[in-house]
Amino acid sequence: MSSKLLEYQELDKKLKNIRKETGTLDDQKVLQTLNNTIKDAQGKIKELEEASKQLVVALNKLMGVQKKGIAYVQKCKDTDIEKMSGEELADFDAKTTQTAKQLAELDARILAHNNEVKKIVMDYRAYRKIILDAKDKKEVIKNASADKLAKAQPQIDAIKKDMLALEKDIDASKLTRYKALKADGIFPVIVPLTEKKCGYCRVELSKSALDTLKTNGVYECENCRRLIYVDKD
């Protein structure tokens, strides 16, 4: 294992510690949580918008039926029942009674739809508030994080400069693998062999794995994917 790559990782650790000490790593986690909160609320708002469209269509249909019923009632009011026979009067009474019942049911359904609309409006406002509050919190955290980073920036820049200088002396393929593993959330990337076991997850290496390690100077742990090396010290 190249001593330069080990030195590179030590500098990487210093960067990670600085970010931890300044709270920027925690800030990133909180920002991600807030982003998820905003995304979820936006999804709920889209669902509400779709539900409101369907309610409007259904409400328009009910209003149309109600309008016809009211027109029929008006027609009935203008009907001269004095000239009706007993049979006609009974039929007229049955129809008006049925119409009145249907109109009452329509009123109840329209009221229920209106209540659903009100609920959608209230939910929309609630989710909108969640989004606005989350955005405000993000802004506060970003500003605070920027202040903390500004104070630590000279030290961060110096470490990055040293890391960049080291990259010139590190095998390109190993450096690429190091960066790929780190990007996958694996850190530390390089760990020593300890009693024939991975220095991180403690999984024991097989004889063939130990042979590969001896030949190549490095072996990627099959369990935690870290790069194992033999610490000659």
Side-chain angles (χ1 to χ4, degrees):
M1 172 60 65
S2 167
S3 61
K4 295 292 184 181
L5 189 54
L6 289 171
E7 189 179 345
Y8 186 87
Q9 179 170 259
E10 284 304 311
L11 291 172
D12 222 351
K13 283 181 183 178
K14 288 183 179 180
L15 272 183
K16 190 177 180 71
N17 288 334
I18 290 171
R19 291 193 176 102
K20 187 175 182 180
E21 288 168 4
T22 57
T24 52
L25 287 178
D26 291 334
D27 288 345
Q28 288 173 10
K29 291 178 183 178
V30 174
L31 287 173
Q32 185 58 52
T33 299
L34 289 171
N35 284 333
N36 291 338
T37 298
I38 291 171
K39 185 178 179 181
D40 290 343
Q42 288 173 335
K44 293 294 184 182
I45 284 176
K46 286 184 179 180
E47 291 176 9
L48 290 173
E49 288 174 347
E50 185 59 35
S52 66
K53 289 178 183 177
Q54 294 176 5
L55 277 175
V56 168
V57 172
L59 188 58
N60 285 338
K61 287 181 179 179
L62 289 175
M63 295 293 285
V65 174
Q66 185 187 50
K67 186 176 180 180
K68 291 180 180 178
I70 292 173
Y72 179 74
V73 170
Q74 186 61 46
K75 180 181 178 182
C76 290
K77 284 175 64 179
D78 298 335
T79 301
D80 185 2
I81 60 174
E82 296 295 332
K83 298 179 180 179
M84 289 184 180
S85 64
E87 185 178 341
E88 288 174 334
L89 188 59
D91 182 61
F92 178 81
D93 182 59
K95 286 181 179 179
T96 53
T97 300
Q98 180 65 24
T99 299
K101 182 180 178 182
Q102 289 174 344
L103 285 173
E105 290 175 353
L106 279 170
D107 283 340
R109 290 175 66 183
I110 290 170
L111 178 61
H113 273 69
N114 285 335
N115 289 335
E116 287 185 55
V117 170
K118 289 178 182 178
K119 184 178 183 306
I120 285 176
V121 171
M122 290 176 64
D123 288 346
Y124 178 87
R125 289 173 178 170
Y127 286 122
R128 182 65 181 165
K129 186 177 185 303
I130 288 172
I131 292 172
L132 294 175
D133 288 347
K135 286 183 176 180
D136 287 342
K137 288 178 183 177
K138 279 181 64 178
E139 192 65 26
V140 171
I141 291 170
K142 283 181 178 179
N143 290 336
S145 183
D147 290 340
K148 288 183 283 187
L149 272 177
K151 294 176 182 178
Q153 199 60 51
Q155 190 178 359
I156 292 172
D157 290 341
I159 293 173
K160 286 184 174 180
K161 184 178 179 181
D162 291 341
M163 290 177 72
L164 191 61
L166 278 174
E167 288 187 2
K168 299 174 184 177
D169 299 322
I170 300 172
D171 179 82
S173 61
K174 289 181 179 178
L175 183 60
T176 298
R177 187 58 185 155
Y178 174 94
K179 290 182 177 181
L181 290 169
K182 184 187 171 187
D184 285 344
I186 296 172
F187 199 86
V189 178
I190 309 166
V191 295
L193 179 71
T194 307
E195 298 176 350
K196 298 182 180 181
K197 297 177 182 177
C198 170
Y200 186 84
C201 69
R202 308 298 294 167
V203 166
E204 187 169 349
L205 272 64
S206 64
K207 184 179 182 303
S208 62
L210 290 169
D211 290 340
T212 301
L213 175 58
K214 184 178 179 180
T215 302
N216 299 337
V218 65
Y219 180 80
E220 188 169 322
C221 179
E222 295 177 6
N223 183 56
C224 69
R225 296 174 60 205
R226 283 168 173 80
L227 302 178
I228 304 171
Y229 74 100
V230 177
D231 188 354
K232 295 180 181 180
D233 297 333

